[in-house]
Amino acid sequence: MKPDMFREPVTILVGMGFPAEVCGVLDAYRHLVEWPVSFRDAAHSVALKACQAALRGEIEAETARGLFAAFAAKHDLMAPETSAISASRMRRDRDPRVQ
């Protein structure tokens, strides 16, 4: 595995709510750079600096991943887990009272 790749991707919602997997530091960095300037905050700054440090090899990719995931969670970008979606659908299929 490359040193800038995450052990497990961070799945975020992009565009019109489509899930996208962020698999490494460079992917996370690109998303952060494209984040609108007017919405940037301290969480964005910390995540961006962590990605830059990870790209330079100063910190581990997993550290940058954690900070990127925290940024994504703060801004409601995290995609729901597919297992939770399928479990909800299965319960609705079994019980006609559940909508």
Side-chain angles (χ1 to χ4, degrees), residues 2-47:
K2 294 180 183 179
D4 66 332
M5 299 302 291
F6 298 152
R7 284 189 203 126
E8 189 174 318
V10 177
T11 306
I12 61 171
L13 299 174
V14 296
M16 300 288 290
F18 294 101
E21 286 191 347
V22 179
C23 298
V25 177
L26 191 56
D27 287 344
Y29 178 78
R30 286 180 184 144
H31 282 287
L32 291 165
V33 168
E34 292 173 0
W35 189 251
V37 174
S38 60
F39 294 134
R40 294 181 183 183
D41 58 4
H44 176 274
S45 178
V46 169

Side-chain angles (χ1 to χ4, degrees), residues 30-93:
R30 286 180 184 144
H31 282 287
L32 291 165
V33 168
E34 292 173 0
W35 189 251
V37 174
S38 60
F39 294 134
R40 294 181 183 183
D41 58 4
H44 176 274
S45 178
V46 169
L48 184 65
K49 288 176 183 176
C51 287
Q52 290 168 334
L55 289 170
R56 290 190 301 264
E58 296 171 358
I59 65 171
E60 297 290 323
E62 290 303 306
T63 303
R65 181 195 183 281
L67 292 167
F68 177 75
F71 161 80
K74 180 179 183 204
H75 293 281
D76 295 322
L77 300 176
M78 298 294 282
E81 292 183 33
T82 55
S83 60
I85 294 169
S86 61
S88 172
R89 169 167 266 139
M90 287 173 22
R91 186 176 65 234
R92 183 173 8 126
D93 292 344

